[in-house]
Amino acid sequence: MYDDVFLVRFWGVRGSISVSGPEFSRYGGNTICIEMRCGKHTLLFDAGSGLRPAGGALQALAVTDFDLLFTHCHYDHIIGLPSFAPIYDRSVKVTLWSGHLAGHMTTRQMVDEFMRPPWFPVKLGICKASLDYRDFVSGDVLRPREGVVVRTGSLIHPGGCIGYRVEWGGRVVAVITDTEHEPDKLDQAVLGLIEDADLVIYDCTYTEEEMERRRGYGHSTWQQGVKLCEAAGARGLALFHHDPTRTDAELDEIEKLAKDKFTGAFAARDGQTLKFPVSLRKKR
Ligand SMILES: [Zn+2]
Ligand SMILES: [Zn+2]
């Protein structure tokens, strides 16, 4: 464990549905799951199919007390939950957070609805882990662990979605997925969440050329990610939530184009790890 490092690990970078095959082997096919380690604290963002290998890694490290925050509960962000081994372990405590359904459904109801027959053989009650459910409203500032500040905001996505800004150790990492931008406009809520960030993990499902046919789907482009990062003074941009048809060769090409425009850009891959040493610079 690194007590003086903000670690980010991508366990699932694929949007919409998981994929497999040789043409996807380098960037990976698991759907959305990100691990952040703020010193000794572990936070997971979303429970796509990447949550299953994340669970194995947490067990190997004997991490038994951590947080799982949902951006929203579309299948690509929740499908891995029933296959997440730690929830069947009685020595584990998980705190689950969501805010995208505020006023309509609690985090507990969301998970209960999802994990039950006939869609899954057993009910959530079979889980041995201690599950602690937290509900919040977009705009709330969460303090899940000592020294960890998580700011929240609403993204533009059918059914709602929450963007997160995680601050710890003088470092900032933002998760901005899934979201749709308006043409020629910078989303002020997104700018607020990514201001001066060390890393912005951004929904780059489409390219601007594809976007015209995909209006209303609730996704964005790498070109918009670059514009937002430039405007917000952010340093790193992880192209994320790759379209399920996007091959490794296509992602290589997109990564190259994005890097030419913004040196901190890269296409995120399953299993990729980034480490940000604790900084003495003060972030807001
Ligand atoms: Zn998605
Ligand atoms: Zn979605």
Side-chain angles (χ1 to χ4, degrees):
M1 290 297 207
Y2 311 92
D3 278 352
D4 52 356
V5 168
F6 190 146
L7 180 146
V8 178
R9 180 166 291 160
F10 295 103
W11 290 104
V13 300
R14 193 64 62 169
S16 305
I17 192 163
S18 56
V19 293
S20 66
E23 67 274 41
F24 307 111
S25 62
R26 283 189 292 111
Y27 287 91
N30 274 320
T31 64
I32 306 308
C33 181
I34 304 159
E35 176 185 352
M36 293 192 200
R37 261 191 254 150
C38 300
K40 58 183 190 297
H41 306 303
T42 299
L43 289 81
L44 295 170
F45 290 84
D46 282 346
S49 67
L51 186 68
R52 195 189 63 80
L58 292 184
Q59 287 185 315
L61 289 170
V63 176
T64 55
D65 189 359
F66 55 89
D67 296 84
L68 170 55
L69 297 92
F70 288 92
T71 61
H72 65 312
C73 55
H74 284 161
Y75 286 137
D76 50 331
H77 300 253
I78 200 167
I79 199 77
L81 191 62
S83 305
F84 184 48
I87 61 171
Y88 303 98
D89 179 345
R90 69 172 74 249
S91 71
V92 168
K93 178 172 185 282
V94 191
T95 308
L96 299 101
W97 304 77
S98 79
H100 66 293
L101 298 172
H104 301 284
M105 199 182 260
T106 65
T107 304
R108 183 179 189 130
Q109 286 169 332
M110 173 188 83
V111 174
D112 263 343
E113 287 277 319
F114 172 68
M115 219 174 126
R116 65 179 170 91
W119 296 280
F120 191 65
V122 291
K123 281 189 182 175
L124 193 62
I126 198 130
C127 295
K128 300 280 194 298
S130 151
L131 303 179
D132 184 8
Y133 298 92
R134 303 289 172 90
D135 304 307
F136 66 87
V137 177
S138 173
D140 283 358
V141 179
L142 317 177
R143 297 177 195 278
R145 305 277 154 166
E146 195 186 341
V148 181
V149 176
V150 181
R151 299 180 196 277
T152 65
S154 294
L155 303 180
I156 300 169
H157 193 64
C161 189
I162 296 292
Y164 291 104
R165 172 188 175 92
V166 183
E167 303 171 352
W168 178 82
R171 295 292 192 169
V172 175
V173 178
V175 179
I176 310 295
T177 190
D178 305 10
T179 195
E180 179 166 339
H181 65 281
E182 288 180 54
D184 305 317
K185 222 171 153 185
L186 298 179
D187 186 327
Q188 293 302 314
V190 172
L191 284 177
L193 290 171
I194 71 172
E195 186 190 345
D196 200 27
D198 294 283
L199 178 67
V200 177
I201 302 166
Y202 191 75
D203 178 348
C204 298
T205 304
Y206 304 125
T207 64
E208 280 300 321
E209 300 73 54
E210 293 165 339
M211 198 65 204
E212 290 316 305
R213 289 175 282 124
R214 303 287 188 222
R215 284 275 157 218
Y217 284 34
H219 296 293
S220 190
T221 68
W222 67 263
Q223 289 96 333
Q224 187 70 14
V226 166
K227 281 186 200 166
L228 285 161
C229 284
E230 281 174 342
R235 285 169 290 287
L237 168 62
L239 315 188
F240 185 72
H241 202 278
H242 307 311
D243 186 271
T245 64
R246 202 78 82 200
T247 64
D248 288 343
E250 288 169 343
L251 283 169
D252 284 345
E253 191 56 34
I254 286 171
E255 181 179 69
K256 196 169 163 295
L257 293 170
K259 246 189 213 317
D260 282 349
K261 296 257 186 230
F262 188 78
T263 48
F266 64 95
R269 309 167 182 233
D270 286 5
Q272 184 174 16
T273 303
L274 303 170
K275 290 176 189 156
F276 301 94
V278 164
S279 166
L280 296 177
R281 284 179 60 206
K282 261 272 173 259
K283 295 278 162 60
R284 80 172 168 98

